[in-house]
Amino acid sequence: MSAIGLKLQEHVGWRPRFQNVLSVLACLFSVYMVYATVFGPYRTTLVHLAIFLTASFVLYFLKDEGTDRQISWSKRIVNYVCVIGTLLSVTHLFLNLDRIITSWGASFLTSTDLVMAGILSLVVLEAARRESVAFFVLSVVGILYILFGGSMPGILGHAGMELEQFLYLTAYTAEGIYGFGLEVAASYIFMFLLLSASMTQTQTGRFIMDICNAFFGRRTGGPAKSAVVSSALLGTMVGSSIGNVATTGTFTIPLMKQAGIPAHKAAAIETVASEGSQFLPPIMGAGAFIMAAMTGIPYATIALAALIPALLYFVAIFAVVHFESVRLKLGGLSKEQIPDARQVFADGWHLLIPPILLFYLLMGQGMSPAYAGVITVIASIIVAMLRKSTRLSLGQVVKVFDDGARSAASVVALIVAIGFIQQALVTTGLGPRLSELILMGTHGSLILTLILSVITATLLGMGMPTPIAYVLLALFVAPALEAVGVSTLAAHLFLFYFAIKSGSTPPVAVVAIVAASIAEASWWKSSVTAFVYSLPSFIIAFMFVYCPELLMQGEWPDIALAVVTATIGTVAFAGALQGWFGWTLSIPERLIISVGAICLVSSEITLTVIGLTLVAAALAVARLRYGKLSVV
């Protein structure tokens, strides 16, 4: 066997040949996406998205073939039917592209055109059903509303749409399957999933965790604090809460348990830290790029605006972890478990070059996200080759492109169905009417509209990747927030914030479930604890709505003052939540501090003074009772 063949076996092992073929397809898919990013889409955007969809669906529906997983014959038949259906419908589009794209509507389509459109629609629905039953139901409801909503009375009624017109818009225009959702996946999400795969193979995550353990390991609750910081740094590159938990949690959670932190609390800490990383610039889980596409606000403006709230989030979580560690009298890591910072940095400093390069390309050069991602992926592989300790084998390089493409396929299986929902909102005029219904229910009250938005975010975000949950919220809820006076930037950041937090909010809490499985803890206790730990960070989103200075909007002195009061508010709320703030707090003191922290949400000077006074008064009473400050 050739040397290349032996290297490839490091990646594929002894898996059946079918998976080898899929790995080749995945790598070719990744190479094509790199080509399309650098040189532009093949022929037209529609053709490019059709190729992207086809490769994704082939990888998605055949991912279990040739593996050890047991597949029923009925599911295997459906898998191949979906693959054949995708290939037939896309091939038909390619062969008749000029005629279809120049047609003036559904009346110019043939019966074969409509049948192929129907087949592709059914395949998309099947993919959505497998990924999320809730999203599948939402998509079906959207289709039914498009077709039969014309007979509905009152504000929900619309002019109606024939089946032929629906199929035309769905399968051959940017109003349906080849619309915003698939374009987001191809333009933003794919390349950063590829980047996540490269960071995993180059051991960048392990380097970051070792550095954090070296700095925080010996301190009170050291492993937990290290988990917070390492998850923040790594997660902003991984771009997925679940991916971050799976990557960092396998290292941080066992260390937290060894330090005496209960399993469900270790899972909760990793969950909230991994979630927050999606709000931290520069990548923000691809959210900033999607937001820029939806709102027209420049990416740099969005990333800069998110910086202070993101840092406040981790201040809040760090405070919760510290107060909890002091209250439980937890120690740090043993001397043997703490890496030598100088040695770790000397061995792996070069791994920081790709993240720094990415930040420079995005913020300094204003480069497109996909193009910057391509350069960073290539740079991460080249940089890793510079040192023997991080050098990649051919099999590992193959795995970068293989894993990236397969991860993207799962996201595409869900996000492509957004085309049905987008069409239901746009073509029927339902979007503006939904805003009217929300405003009628809240009577135009800002605080009630914000609270209803949080509830909606939790419901729509159940079991869905953050980018998809955010897109739905941007379509459904953002217009209502803007109607009650919230700026476009603040409204979309608010919704994105709570789309992220839906991953740890019961009853679904998919991120907490993954963390709990690693910690071997109860997923319910883990999700509830993660929700409680997140409460101090919840007020941050309300803060930047009421205080635009936290989004870098305003004069620098006002921004600095807002940061100080917001920091006091979040830390105070964390202390009230944990019942410890230098001294053990009584229930009345905790309530007073909580009210004071909530008052600090607003930038209004009167409420700020009241909030600071309440916090100071409660702490003064605690000091009189206990004397000098407890050791922290």
Side-chain angles (χ1 to χ4, degrees):
M1 184 178 291
S2 67
I4 292 180
L6 289 171
K7 288 290 184 181
L8 285 174
Q9 275 199 358
E10 292 177 20
H11 169 53
V12 299
W14 294 102
R15 290 184 301 170
R17 292 180 180 178
F18 192 90
Q19 283 298 310
N20 297 359
V21 173
L22 281 188
S23 292
V24 172
L25 174 62
C27 291
L28 291 175
F29 181 25
S30 295
V31 170
Y32 165 74
M33 290 302 296
V34 170
Y35 167 86
T37 300
V38 175
F39 298 102
Y42 175 66
R43 293 187 66 182
T44 66
T45 299
L46 181 62
V47 171
H48 169 64
L49 292 178
I51 293 172
F52 181 77
L53 177 66
T54 303
S56 298
F57 272 5
V58 171
L59 290 174
Y60 179 75
F61 284 110
L62 299 181
K63 62 184 177 182
D64 292 332
E65 290 293 327
T67 66
D68 294 333
R69 296 181 183 179
Q70 296 297 320
I71 311 173
S72 66
W73 277 106
S74 59
K75 184 177 181 179
R76 178 171 278 121
I77 290 172
V78 172
N79 287 342
Y80 281 101
V81 167
C82 287
V83 170
I84 293 170
T86 303
L87 292 172
L88 285 175
S89 58
V90 172
T91 301
H92 176 78
L93 173 63
F94 288 169
L95 294 176
N96 300 274
L97 182 66
D98 293 336
R99 176 178 60 81
I100 290 175
I101 63 176
T102 56
S103 64
W104 285 16
S107 58
F108 291 86
L109 298 182
T110 67
S111 298
T112 304
D113 295 336
L114 296 174
V115 169
M116 291 300 168
I119 290 173
L120 186 60
S121 299
L122 291 175
V123 173
V124 169
L125 285 174
E126 171 61 13
R129 183 194 67 80
R130 294 188 183 191
E131 285 295 301
S132 170
V133 173
F135 196 64
F136 167 75
V137 171
L138 194 60
S139 300
V140 171
V141 169
I143 293 171
L144 294 175
Y145 180 73
I146 293 170
L147 296 176
F148 305 108
S151 60
M152 295 182 68
I155 194 173
L156 292 178
H158 63 82
M161 185 181 294
E162 297 296 328
L163 176 62
E164 291 81 3
Q165 179 69 7
F166 164 73
L167 291 174
Y168 167 71
L169 292 174
T170 297
Y172 301 119
T173 74
E175 298 292 337
I177 291 171
Y178 299 112
F180 182 77
L182 192 61
E183 190 171 351
V184 161
S187 301
Y188 305 117
I189 296 177
F190 181 92
M191 205 51 64
F192 287 98
L193 289 173
L194 195 62
L195 177 59
S196 171
S198 72
M199 292 296 175
T200 300
Q201 289 302 311
T202 57
Q203 302 180 49
T204 303
R206 186 55 192 259
F207 166 72
I208 290 174
M209 283 183 283
D210 285 343
I211 286 290
C212 291
N213 281 330
F215 279 100
F216 298 102
R218 63 176 55 86
R219 304 179 186 278
T220 301
K225 293 174 180 176
S226 178
V228 171
V229 178
S230 62
S231 294
L233 296 175
L234 183 62
T236 190
M237 294 177 285
V238 171
S240 162
S241 298
I242 294 176
N244 198 10
V245 167
T247 302
T248 62
T250 53
F251 298 101
T252 59
I253 290 175
L255 286 177
M256 284 190 274
K257 290 172 66 177
Q258 289 176 24
I261 298 175
H264 69 282
K265 292 187 176 183
I269 291 169
E270 180 58 45
T271 296
V272 294
S274 294
E275 283 185 323
S277 65
Q278 285 196 84
F279 204 76
L280 185 65
I283 297 178
M284 296 173 63
F289 312 125
I290 300 172
M291 201 177 300
M294 296 195 73
T295 64
I297 299 172
Y299 158 77
T301 301
I302 294 171
L304 187 63
L307 182 59
I308 292 176
L311 294 177
L312 285 173
Y313 178 95
F314 284 101
V315 167
I317 301 305
F318 200 89
V320 168
V321 167
H322 178 71
F323 295 153
E324 181 82 332
S325 299
V326 172
R327 191 173 64 84
L328 296 176
K329 299 179 179 177
L330 298 175
L333 295 174
S334 65
K335 188 176 180 179
E336 294 74 22
Q337 291 177 303
I338 299 175
D340 184 293
R342 291 183 179 180
Q343 187 61 48
V344 171
F345 191 78
D347 291 341
W349 66 268
H350 59 295
L351 297 176
L352 296 176
I353 294 176
I356 294 172
L357 175 64
L358 177 64
F359 187 82
Y360 169 74
L361 294 175
L362 290 172
M363 300 296 290
Q365 296 297 308
M367 196 173 285
S368 72
Y371 198 74
V374 167
I375 294 175
T376 308
V377 168
I378 296 172
S380 67
I381 294 173
I382 293 173
V383 165
M385 296 296 188
L386 298 178
R387 305 288 292 275
K388 184 177 180 180
S389 59
T390 57
R391 192 165 296 151
L392 302 179
S393 66
L394 177 59
Q396 289 173 311
V397 174
V398 169
K399 190 168 175 60
V400 169
F401 294 99
D402 188 359
D403 289 352
R406 289 175 187 255
S407 298
S410 295
V411 174
V412 170
L414 188 56
I415 200 172
V416 68
I418 282 179
F420 297 124
I421 300 167
Q422 181 186 8
Q423 190 180 156
L425 292 172
V426 175
T427 61
T428 66
L430 177 62
R433 295 198 297 276
L434 278 177
S435 296
E436 291 179 28
L437 290 173
I438 293 173
L439 295 175
M440 287 171 56
T442 61
H443 302 288
S445 167
L446 174 57
I447 186 62
L448 290 179
T449 306
L450 290 173
I451 292 172
L452 183 60
S453 299
V454 174
I455 295 171
T456 306
T458 302
L459 294 175
L460 288 180
M462 286 182 178
M464 292 188 193
T466 298
I468 300 175
Y470 161 68
V471 170
L472 290 177
L473 290 168
L475 294 171
F476 281 110
V477 185
L481 287 177
E482 294 179 43
V484 294
V486 182
S487 69
T488 300
L489 178 61
H492 281 261
L493 283 174
F494 183 88
L495 295 174
F496 181 60
Y497 193 96
F498 284 103
I500 293 170
K501 295 309 299 177
S502 66
S504 64
T505 305
V508 178
V510 290
V511 182
I513 290 173
V514 174
S517 66
I518 296 173
E520 298 180 339
S522 163
W523 73 268
W524 179 254
K525 289 177 68 176
S526 299
S527 62
V528 170
T529 305
F531 175 75
V532 172
Y533 285 173
S534 294
L535 287 176
S537 67
F538 277 24
I539 66 173
I540 295 169
F542 288 86
M543 281 181 174
F544 65 67
V545 169
Y546 282 95
C547 184
E549 289 82 3
L550 292 177
L551 298 180
M552 299 285 192
Q553 309 291 306
E555 300 296 325
W556 281 109
D558 296 330
I559 293 173
L561 179 61
V563 170
V564 171
T565 56
T567 302
I568 294 172
T570 54
V571 174
F573 199 79
L577 182 72
Q578 296 301 315
W580 190 95
F581 201 162
W583 304 272
T584 300
L585 302 174
S586 65
I587 292 180
E589 290 162 356
R590 295 171 70 177
L591 291 174
I592 292 171
I593 291 175
S594 297
V595 172
I598 292 173
C599 287
L600 292 172
V601 165
S602 174
S603 60
E604 186 182 343
I605 188 64
T606 302
L607 287 176
T608 299
V609 171
I610 292 173
L612 292 173
T613 302
L614 289 174
V615 173
L619 292 179
V621 172
R623 188 192 187 288
L624 288 174
R625 187 169 67 253
Y626 287 106
K628 66 178 183 178
L629 191 70
S630 299
V631 177
V632 294

